Amino acid sequence: MTTTTPGPARSLPDFPWDSLAAARARAARHPGGLVDLSIGTPVDDTPAVLTQALAAAGNAPGYPTALGTTELRTAAAGWLRRRLGVEIADPLGADPSLVPTVGSKELVALLPTLLGLRTGTLVLPEVAYPTYEVGAVLAGLAVRRSDVPPPDAAGVVLVWLNSPGNPHGRVLSDDRLREWVAWGRAHGVPVVADECYITLGWDVEPRSLLHPAIAGEDHTGLLAVHSLSKQSTAAGYRAGLLSGDPALVRPVWEVRRHLGLLVPGPVQAAMTAALDDDAHVDAQRARYRDRRDRLSAAVRAAGLRIDHSEAGLYLWATRDEDCWTTIDRLAGLGIVAAPGSFYGPAGSRHVRLALTATDERIAAAVERLTA
């Protein structure tokens, strides 16, 4: 467990993907072209259920509501109940328990600031999406990396969980989730779960932090973040959700409407249609499962071990060597992956390979890895 304390004017870290320029240039020289598995951006078409709803709502001369339309909040509550077994108390009430967000990354980066946290320590996983630390830096908070509730809660003001995790696809057990809930409530520390990959369980079925088997009878001290980027192939729409304890949702909503952090009206209409429809989510899930099956077999055939990766859109692979050595090996095959060091010191011997490439590019990667 490590702790980092920011200086009085600590700057943001370098944007990590810039350091892949050399590997990307080498991979691009491959006769069969570059296979980019480094960034998890969807490549398949956005489903018609979203595009048609977006177009139908295109005449939008007025400002959208920060709280979300009645239709969107109703659809979101229905989706949470139907897909995750989560009950949102009074989603249409005056005390908001869910609000739309401009994607999930914006919310992750700004949540400490939106909650008014100015001093203290933010806890994030040992291997974690870099934006959790960026959010701490922006708010002037220290960072502690830990996969278990720390024995010393002094100064801790917020905890981030990520299950299924990015980059490694690890799913937290029900017991570990309950342990974090009990710890957060005992110490008065909000616990927030980033669940943007929760519909993509492969070897296990991920459970939401807000599920009654985890949270109990209410969501006191808890928040969950969800996104349509992956499950609905709609990263370009910037469509996310924040739900949970109204005492935590309300201040986020109030600051967001002051700042004009509003999800555009046509996007809210598309979100409503997407959250009411399961068929497109299941179809995209099947595409990712097929790509995962093919790519994981090829990665193992190439001599790499895959750790965790039981859910989500990535394979967390290692040759038990420095991650940059593996990155160079893959670049020689025309394949670009993300070095595990992007996600913290504990990831320095792994690479992350994304499933978000076309079937043709996945097939090219498979051929090169197994040749």
Side-chain angles (χ1 to χ4, degrees):
M1 184 166 63
T2 56
T3 302
T4 305
T5 303
R10 186 183 177 195
S11 61
L12 291 173
D14 293 335
F15 192 65
W17 276 267
D18 291 345
S19 62
L20 273 175
R24 194 178 301 279
R26 183 183 181 198
R29 293 194 292 270
H30 190 280
L34 181 149
V35 177
D36 192 349
L37 305 180
S38 66
I39 300 178
T41 185
V43 297
D44 301 301
D45 289 343
T46 301
V49 66
L50 281 80
T51 60
Q52 291 171 3
L54 183 80
N59 183 19
Y63 291 110
T65 170
L67 184 58
T69 64
T70 297
E71 294 79 11
L72 173 55
R73 286 180 286 152
T74 300
W79 177 82
L80 287 162
R81 180 186 311 111
R82 187 176 69 252
R83 299 292 298 215
L84 305 185
V86 170
E87 290 289 341
I88 296 295
D90 195 16
L92 301 182
D95 207 16
S97 50
L98 62 84
V99 292
T101 65
V102 186
S104 60
K105 184 172 184 175
E106 166 260 314
L107 191 280
V108 168
L110 291 181
L111 185 62
T113 299
L114 296 173
L115 289 173
L117 306 177
R118 297 292 180 267
T119 60
T121 299
L122 183 150
V123 176
L124 62 138
E126 286 280 3
V127 178
Y129 183 49
T131 309
Y132 305 128
E133 183 170 6
V134 169
V137 172
L138 289 174
L141 305 178
V143 168
R144 176 184 294 178
R145 292 178 178 266
S146 180
D147 288 333
V148 297
D152 176 15
V156 176
V157 293
L158 187 71
V159 170
W160 273 111
L161 306 180
N162 183 207
S163 177
N166 175 10
H168 48 45
R170 177 188 292 169
V171 175
L172 296 179
S173 68
D174 286 2
D175 286 344
R176 179 52 49 81
L177 289 172
R178 282 190 285 263
E179 188 179 0
W180 276 112
V181 170
W183 184 91
R185 287 172 172 170
H187 297 289
V189 176
V191 178
V192 190
D194 179 356
E195 299 177 350
C196 72
Y197 299 98
I198 199 165
T199 60
L200 296 169
W202 310 119
D203 302 327
V204 298
E205 191 65 31
R207 182 97 78 170
S208 175
L209 184 72
L210 303 183
H211 191 282
I214 306 301
E217 296 182 357
D218 60 56
H219 297 151
T220 300
L222 309 177
L223 291 172
V225 181
H226 297 105
S227 170
L228 271 63
S229 292
K230 307 305 193 297
Q231 71 178 46
S232 294
T233 321
Y237 283 48
R238 310 315 302 133
L241 290 170
L242 176 70
S243 56
D245 185 351
L248 297 172
V249 175
R250 171 171 280 278
V252 172
W253 165 60
E254 289 179 342
V255 176
R256 291 177 65 82
R257 58 180 180 161
H258 277 294
L259 297 180
L261 291 172
L262 314 176
V263 177
V267 174
Q268 293 196 36
M271 291 176 69
T272 301
L275 292 166
D276 276 336
D277 180 77
D278 292 331
H280 77 282
V281 177
D282 295 338
Q284 187 61 41
R285 173 187 167 87
R287 292 186 191 98
Y288 285 136
R289 179 182 286 280
D290 178 66
R291 291 167 185 166
R292 177 181 184 268
D293 290 346
R294 289 186 287 136
L295 186 61
S296 60
V299 167
R300 291 188 178 100
L304 286 83
R305 184 181 75 248
I306 298 174
D307 292 334
H308 310 304
S309 307
E310 58 257 32
L313 285 181
Y314 310 105
L315 301 178
W316 189 234
T318 180
R319 291 175 53 95
D320 290 315
E321 63 189 7
D322 181 82
C323 62
W324 284 102
T325 301
T326 309
I327 290 294
D328 189 59
R329 291 178 188 271
L330 291 171
L333 299 175
I335 299 169
V336 181
S341 57
F342 282 5
Y343 307 95
S348 63
R349 299 181 73 80
H350 284 77
V351 298
R352 190 194 77 170
L353 298 121
L355 307 178
T356 50
T358 65
D359 290 335
E360 184 274 332
R361 288 289 85 187
I362 293 290
V366 168
E367 180 181 4
R368 297 173 196 182
L369 289 166
T370 55

